[in-house]
Amino acid sequence: MQLTLISGLSGSGKSIALKLLEDTGYYCVDNLPATLLPQLVAQLQAEGYKRVGVAMDVRSGASIEALPEIIAQVREQVRDLRFIFLDARDEALIARYSESRRRHPLAEEHTTLQEAISRERHLLTRIAEIGQRIDTSALHPNVLRAWIRELIESAPSAGPTLLFQSFGFKHGLPVDADFVFDVRCLPNPFYDPALRSLTGLDQPVIEFMQASDDALRMAQDIRKFIADWLPAFCHDGRSYFTVAIGCTGGQHRSVYLAEWLAREFAGQAKVMVRHRSLDAGLKKSA
């Protein structure tokens, strides 16, 4: 069985993720109390289900706090277990609730929406640390669907998964990053008119960055930091690491470095690459 668990903050896109699983042939269960997960898995295994998706969040009540221990238990039943945690910045969640006019599950008569979101974030702190986090703040639903599909269709990995993610500081810090490196001090291709409309995936920009001694030194320093500390995080039981590389607009420098780092670690771990600003269509920014 391939078991994919979905959790995260209310309004972060869990319904989109679960619908994607359903559309790709998963048997899906929404709002399952966490304590019932082992029994559900055992029953569905006995009935021959091969792909199962389960969403669990604060609607499950107090049982959600026991989810890390329950997942550890279920890993003994299921070899291929993937846990995706969807997150978003507070302002993005507030805007979505304002547009949909839905009620937050933790909202009470004398509780503001901001207070409900803060309480939910606190309750899910431990859970957010055990899975692959995705910041959906600026993601179009189609981009989120594509990222979820990439995660569920990738081959299972016995070791850690390293995700290198480029982003633009002007579009906000990604809340799903374990490490954030600021490369805005490097020479900027944006100020070359011939390179402005290109990205760090294009050969002229790659050659521009390769000609910079500072860019090479920055890349080597980040590579050494990750290589030195990755074993310690693996020893601590972490299986997913998101390394965010940020420049001003997320178009040139951060994209180049994310790709460079992905190639460097390709033989040491399962590696994934995302370009947040490019995927979201946020280009032509210094």
Side-chain angles (χ1 to χ4, degrees):
M1 175 188 289
Q2 179 179 340
L3 175 64
T4 300
L5 305 179
I6 304 290
S7 189
L9 292 163
S10 302
S12 62
K14 296 190 301 296
S15 60
I16 293 174
L18 201 63
K19 185 65 168 61
L20 183 278
L21 294 180
E22 189 174 48
D23 289 345
T24 52
Y26 280 69
Y27 177 85
C28 294
V29 179
D30 190 17
N31 195 19
L32 180 77
T35 51
L36 297 182
L37 183 61
Q39 296 96 305
L40 174 70
V41 170
Q43 178 178 341
L44 294 180
Q45 280 181 322
E47 295 180 10
Y49 285 89
K50 298 301 182 183
R51 294 193 292 178
V52 176
V54 180
M56 294 172 288
D57 50 48
V58 293
R59 295 173 297 168
S60 302
S63 68
I64 193 66
E65 297 183 25
L67 187 57
E69 290 75 22
I70 293 169
I71 288 179
Q73 175 186 344
V74 172
R75 286 191 187 278
E76 299 178 2
Q77 300 173 258
V78 180
R79 180 175 299 178
D80 187 357
L81 187 156
R82 307 172 191 216
F83 180 55
I84 301 172
F85 186 91
L86 302 182
D87 205 342
R89 295 190 295 272
D90 285 5
E91 58 268 27
L93 296 174
I94 291 172
R96 291 170 187 173
Y97 270 99
S98 298
E99 292 171 2
S100 66
R101 303 196 178 187
R102 293 175 53 210
R103 183 177 180 273
H104 192 281
L106 297 183
E108 298 175 352
E109 184 177 355
H110 301 294
T111 301
T112 67
L113 177 57
Q114 178 69 70
E115 291 170 340
I117 292 172
S118 296
R119 182 185 171 202
E120 181 182 32
R121 194 179 293 281
H122 174 72
L123 291 172
L124 297 177
T125 299
R126 286 183 64 221
I127 298 169
E129 297 175 351
I130 61 176
Q132 172 64 66
R133 291 177 69 189
I134 299 178
D135 178 4
T136 70
S137 301
L139 292 188
H140 187 278
N142 285 340
V143 176
L144 176 57
R145 291 186 191 99
W147 287 10
I148 296 292
R149 188 184 296 274
E150 180 185 20
L151 287 172
I152 65 174
E153 292 182 351
S154 63
S157 173
T161 296
L162 267 174
L163 171 60
F164 293 100
Q165 176 175 272
S166 67
F167 74 97
F169 275 96
K170 70 182 301 178
H171 306 303
L173 279 167
V175 299
D176 53 356
D178 296 298
F179 304 110
V180 176
F181 294 95
D182 184 349
V183 300
R184 287 176 291 183
C185 61
L186 300 180
N188 193 350
F190 179 85
Y191 295 111
D192 184 335
L195 304 178
R196 182 168 300 175
S197 63
L198 303 179
T199 76
L201 301 174
D202 295 312
Q203 190 60 33
V205 175
I206 293 172
E207 293 173 359
F208 177 95
M209 298 301 298
Q210 289 175 337
S212 168
D213 291 339
D214 285 345
L216 176 61
R217 188 157 58 95
M218 176 75 79
Q220 294 288 359
D221 285 347
I222 296 174
R223 185 201 61 76
K224 183 178 185 306
F225 176 87
I226 297 170
D228 286 348
W229 287 101
L230 183 60
F233 281 92
C234 292
H235 181 72
D236 194 41
R238 298 287 298 277
S239 56
Y240 294 94
F241 305 91
T242 298
V243 179
I245 313 294
C247 60
T248 305
Q251 180 178 341
H252 298 107
R253 296 165 290 182
S254 60
V255 172
Y256 166 78
L257 284 170
E259 292 285 340
W260 187 90
L261 289 163
R263 289 192 299 272
E264 287 292 304
F265 284 92
Q268 304 177 43
K270 179 181 176 182
V271 172
M272 301 176 69
V273 185
R274 292 184 188 141
H275 301 299
R276 177 170 297 271
S277 296
L278 299 187
D279 291 345
L282 304 172
K283 290 179 61 177
K284 297 184 179 179
S285 302

